[in-house]
Amino acid sequence: MPRIGKTLLQQLQTNLLAMISLVVALSSLSYNTWRNEQTEANRNQRTAAFEMIHKLNELQEIVFYLHYDKDIDNKGNPRRGWVTLLTIKDLAQIMQEPIPKQAENLALVWQQNWESLEQDKLSLERVTNEIDRLRHTSLNILARLK
């Protein structure tokens, strides 16, 4: 008399290829999703880092015009420096550590020194050192992205 139902072992043997295919498909989908997320995160970091470097150079230019050329009304206007600094702080929020902390340090140093940048060499050095530190860290992050 033939058996009506297959045993569990027979069902596994019959459907083994389908189950292996399902596991491979799910693991491939999972890996692909993870890889896409990593790629997008790297792309965001890369774009933000390039823009950060651009804005840091812009701030450096403002500082130089303010200190060396005493051009408060045009290219060395401290209000331009504040706007550029706000953009730097915004970009820092989407970047990995320690960029956000360093951007906060730059903002603090700028806040403490912007009024004396025109005549005080020590203020110039403080602001320039923070700009250089943030630029260097941004370049290091770019170099580490894969």
Side-chain angles (χ1 to χ4, degrees), residues 102 105-106 109 125-134:
Q102 288 182 353
N105 290 343
L106 174 59
V109 168
E125 288 176 14
R126 288 179 188 138
V127 172
T128 300
N129 286 342
E130 288 302 316
I131 291 171
D132 288 343
R133 182 175 292 116
L134 191 51

Side-chain angles (χ1 to χ4, degrees), residues 38 41-47 49-50 95-96 138-146:
Q38 287 298 116
N42 285 347
R43 187 178 296 125
N44 290 343
Q45 289 289 307
R46 189 174 290 110
T47 302
F50 282 128
M95 294 186 68
Q96 58 185 271
S138 297
L139 289 170
N140 282 340
I141 286 173
L142 276 173
R144 287 193 316 251
L145 289 177
K146 296 181 178 174

Side-chain angles (χ1 to χ4, degrees), residues 30-140:
S30 297
Y31 174 77
N32 192 33
T33 301
W34 173 81
R35 186 68 243 161
N36 285 339
E37 290 295 322
Q38 287 298 116
T39 300
E40 185 64 24
N42 285 347
R43 187 178 296 125
N44 290 343
Q45 289 289 307
R46 189 174 290 110
T47 302
F50 282 128
E51 189 62 28
M52 172 82 68
I53 292 166
H54 174 76
K55 289 299 179 181
L56 287 167
N57 290 337
E58 188 176 312
L59 183 60
Q60 187 74 66
E61 181 181 38
I62 292 166
V63 168
F64 286 160
Y65 273 112
L66 180 59
H67 182 78
Y68 293 112
D69 295 345
K70 314 293 188 220
D71 185 3
I72 295 174
D73 296 326
N74 292 313
K75 293 182 180 180
N77 190 315
R79 286 186 303 268
R80 285 185 60 226
W82 279 109
V83 170
T84 304
L85 182 63
L86 290 173
T87 304
I88 290 168
K89 284 178 62 178
D90 290 344
L91 287 167
Q93 297 310 307
I94 61 172
M95 294 186 68
Q96 58 185 271
E97 290 296 336
I99 296 285
K101 178 71 174 143
Q102 288 182 353
E104 286 298 324
N105 290 343
L106 174 59
L108 181 63
V109 168
W110 175 264
Q111 182 180 11
Q112 294 169 346
N113 292 280
W114 73 270
E115 292 177 304
S116 58
L117 272 173
E118 186 179 3
Q119 66 273 2
D120 185 19
K121 188 164 180 76
L122 187 57
S123 293
L124 172 70
E125 288 176 14
R126 288 179 188 138
V127 172
T128 300
N129 286 342
E130 288 302 316
I131 291 171
D132 288 343
R133 182 175 292 116
L134 191 51
R135 180 184 297 112
H136 180 72
T137 304
S138 297
L139 289 170
N140 282 340

